Amino acid sequence: MKILIRPHDIGKGSPDWLGKNAFEWGFDGVQLAIAKAVEGQNGNPGTLTKENISQIRTGFNSHNVEIPILGAYFNPVHSNKEKVKAGAEKYADHLRHAKEFGAFFVASETGSYNDDKWTYNPKNQTEDAFQEVKSIFKPMPQIAKESGVCMALEGAWGHCMYKPEVLKRLADEIDPGLENFRFIVDIYNYLYIGNHEKRKEIFETCLNLFKDKICGFHLKDYTVEGEELVIAPLGKGLMGWSDFLPAIKKHCPNAYLIFEGVKDVPSSLAFVKETLEKA
């Protein structure tokens, strides 16, 4: 299985510098959010020229680091509708250009009525929220199809697609057959203090619902401090990656494993590789 990192977790710089570091750190590729990672680039529509794309792709690929997933995250229910429009246009533009990067998937999340905080709001878990998110993403599977790629969304307890079942409903309603819709699974994002002990059940629900339509797993581990979940190095928290990783290898062998804000990257990467080798 191939292991990716978000390059902005390495830092912000040139594609060559990011690619060199990703390779030296031991990763096969990146989930690239251009504006967050690449110095001097914002990834907005009109900026993804052949020259810019070639420079970015070459910078990573020259170090044997691929770019299978682009990130174009935006909040589809933000109160500033100009931000929503700009985010949706950027996401669609990324779909149109993804193959030029060597990417097959463009990722986003499903937003929150807390605007830029991206945190829990009771309105997130309503039918109105579902319909608003649906209206924004409804055109995307067709754009993805025309571009020969797939859109990819991830849910989170604090967002509008707050559990796997709701995200699956969205996928089924905007892309019946799921030809151009894929899922990114971040188990940690589905958790909060009130349900984290059900993490295994939530993980199994994702596998059962999404099956081979999962294109990636975001890897995070955590401990509990008081009433808060706190990020921990992989394999040193409560998540249960020693069990989850072999299950992923068995059921989703083509999915990417993606480091996202991981603490102690060297020990975490060693843990993942060792666990996969034993599986």
Side-chain angles (χ1 to χ4, degrees):
M1 299 188 73
K2 292 186 176 181
I3 307 174
L4 315 182
I5 190 171
R6 301 184 310 180
H8 60 276
D9 287 334
I10 296 172
K12 190 167 189 175
S14 70
D16 181 74
W17 180 81
L18 291 166
K20 180 176 183 290
N21 277 277
F23 174 77
E24 289 178 350
W25 286 21
F27 291 94
D28 303 299
V30 294
Q31 177 180 323
L32 175 63
I34 295 168
K36 291 183 178 181
V38 181
E39 196 73 58
Q41 298 283 348
N42 59 27
N44 289 337
T47 68
L48 299 184
T49 63
K50 287 186 177 180
E51 181 181 1
N52 281 349
I53 293 172
S54 177
Q55 180 187 14
I56 293 170
R57 182 174 182 175
T58 300
F60 285 96
N61 289 176
S62 64
H63 297 284
N64 293 317
V65 173
E66 59 183 285
I67 311 172
I69 305 174
L70 297 178
Y73 287 66
F74 72 102
N75 186 350
V77 297
H78 199 287
S79 61
N80 184 335
K81 298 312 172 189
E82 287 302 313
K83 280 192 173 183
V84 175
K85 181 180 178 183
E89 289 175 350
K90 184 174 183 176
Y91 187 85
D93 195 56
H94 273 55
L95 287 172
R96 296 186 182 102
H97 289 284
K99 287 186 79 172
E100 297 169 52
F101 288 89
F104 300 99
F105 312 102
V106 179
S108 184
E109 292 174 321
T110 61
S112 165
Y113 285 96
N114 287 345
D115 287 348
D116 298 324
K117 294 181 179 179
W118 292 74
T119 50
Y120 170 77
N121 182 310
K123 189 178 178 183
N124 294 345
Q125 300 187 6
T126 64
E127 181 65 18
D128 286 346
F130 179 90
Q131 294 299 334
E132 188 167 357
V133 173
K134 178 182 173 181
S135 70
I136 299 300
F137 282 109
K138 189 174 181 179
M140 302 305 175
Q142 182 60 34
I143 296 171
K145 183 176 182 179
E146 293 167 358
S147 306
V149 297
C150 291
M151 64 178 296
L153 294 185
E154 58 177 297
W157 179 81
H159 297 172
C160 293
M161 301 302 113
Y162 57 96
K163 60 181 180 178
E165 293 88 345
V166 181
L167 182 59
K168 179 61 161 56
R169 177 191 166 197
L170 176 71
D172 288 337
E173 291 190 13
I174 68 173
D175 188 20
L178 304 184
E179 291 182 13
N180 296 94
F181 190 112
R182 296 294 183 269
F183 302 90
I184 292 179
V185 174
D186 188 327
I187 299 300
Y188 176 83
N189 279 6
Y190 283 117
L191 306 181
Y192 70 106
I193 195 66
N195 75 347
H196 77 96
E197 293 183 354
K198 296 182 179 179
R199 56 194 175 274
K200 185 173 185 286
E201 178 183 327
I202 294 170
F203 171 73
E204 291 174 349
T205 296
C206 288
L207 290 184
N208 292 332
L209 277 181
F210 305 153
K211 298 183 172 65
D212 62 348
K213 302 301 182 181
I214 299 173
C215 67
F217 290 84
H218 282 166
L219 306 187
K220 297 193 189 90
D221 213 331
Y222 73 97
T223 57
V224 176
E225 295 182 11
E227 294 295 304
E228 299 292 329
L229 307 186
V230 179
I231 294 290
L234 296 175
K236 296 181 180 178
L238 300 173
M239 185 67 79
W241 287 114
S242 294
D243 296 323
F244 290 178
L245 285 169
I248 291 171
K249 184 177 180 179
K250 178 180 179 181
H251 298 289
C252 307
N254 296 318
Y256 294 97
L257 302 176
I258 307 158
F259 276 40
E260 182 183 60
V262 170
K263 283 193 171 184
D264 193 352
V265 170
S267 74
S268 294
L269 185 57
F271 164 77
V272 172
K273 290 183 174 181
E274 288 168 8
T275 304
L276 290 174
E277 286 174 6
K278 294 175 184 177

